[in-house]
Amino acid sequence: MNFEFTEEQKLFSESVRKFALVHLENDALKRAHNPRFPFDVAQLMNRQGLMGITIAQADGGQGGTLTDAVIAIEQIAAVCPRSADVVQFGSFGPIRTFAEYGTPAQKQRWLPDLLSGRAVMSLGMTEPEAGSAATDLKTAAKPDGANYLITGAKLFSTFSPDAQIFLIYVRFGPGVGGIGSVIVERGTPGFQIGPPSSFMSGEEWCELHFDNCRIPAENVLLGPGGFKKQMSGFNVERIGNAARSLAFGRYAFNKARAHAATRAQFGRPLCEFQGVQWKFADMAIKLESAQLLLYRAAANADRGFPSAYETAIAKAACNVTGFEVAHESVQVMGAMGYSRESLVEWCMRRCRGWMIAGGSVEILKNRIAEHVFDRRFDQRKRHADAAE
Ligand SMILES: Cc1cc2nc3c(=O)[nH]c(=O)nc-3n(C[C@H](O)[C@H](O)[C@H](O)COP(=O)(O)OP(=O)(O)OC[C@H]3O[C@@H](n4cnc5c(N)ncnc54)[C@H](O)[C@@H]3O)c2cc1C
């Protein structure tokens, strides 16, 4: 067992750090408080080879590993946390599932714009009646000659105010086996995008409504039976969420550490009070242990999809750690930490969202418990007759 990065990984990490310091440090605060997707950063990252890190070179990506993409998130977030969302989009988000399962024609049509930072994609899975119980989704795709008619609604989709392309989970028929996904472009007749609403983090999302929205059959990404494949792809997204949670927690930790080393009260720097030292020791324990779980999940997956269990345990640990560390960092920095002059409170608000998004901590714990007991625990209410 080796806990060191390879020489290649160290060089990559250093090059991303330098890129971030030169191009992203200056406007980090402004960028974080702007809810719009930073297309300028995506275009810069494309030129730097930081888009599509986990996507095959044949598809226009970099052909790197999940660990490479985690390293990129860590180094970018350490300088400009908001820009780490672009790494997420380019290497972990729905684009990864799309690149894995898209037809050559679909990839040719949409990947060049997505990877060059000219367009962003949004994932529509959650519905008013289907949150954690994602397989309860109702949005339907009905065949209509050479087309499909899409009807239904989606909520909370990240990047939806800016996205040109939407990967929408739909139901072709009953049950889990009836679920698949389609691509819908902004502007398609029958597809309405509502006005933006805000999350606690300042991120915005729009309600998506499909009213007999006609799409060609070529826009089907995964037909009936595609749900399992979609969830395997979704585990990659979870690694990206975990990596950002941890990186944002570490960003806050580093700011708080610098503050505690220099801010004096009662004639001494804050770091000389044991009550403050122990906060940092606790934070360091949490950060280091979650980091190992994250690296394990990413490294074991290599270029493929990570295991559901290792992803669940890594995401739960990183989500909770990121939030707790950012929260404690706010406390250590007092009113300055609570102020929008620093990004520490913003990191805390962003980390809070990842405890809910992309598989809440509770849903992940359900998955972990199934592994512990080596059996499935059905979360659904049993029918009265079945219980008898
Ligand atoms: C920042 C952010 C970004 C998001 N981005 C997207 C996106 O891009 N695309 C998209 O489709 N959706 C997105 N979502 C929505 C997200 O996927 C859902 O919020 C999530 O699946 C939870 O669903 P819900 O909010 O309806 O909560 P509910 O499912 O109603 O759950 C409410 C609470 O009950 C708990 N709970 C539910 N079932 C169980 C159970 N069986 N055991 C234990 N506890 C349970 C949950 O953990 C939660 O704490 C985003 C959400 C956030 C916060």
Side-chain angles (χ1 to χ4, degrees), residues 123-126 131-133 155-158 199 203 353 356-358 360 362-363 366 379:
L123 173 72
M125 179 168 63
T126 308
S132 301
L155 300 177
F156 304 133
S157 293
T158 299
F199 281 130
E203 292 165 277
I356 298 167
S360 68
E362 292 78 15
I363 294 298
N366 291 344
Q379 303 296 310

Side-chain angles (χ1 to χ4, degrees), residues 30 114 121 137 173 217 222 239 248 264 266 268 301 315 375:
K30 203 164 93 189
L114 293 169
M121 180 185 250
L137 68 87
L222 285 164
I239 295 283
F248 285 25
F266 302 98
R268 312 170 72 178
K315 183 176 184 286
R375 55 168 283 201

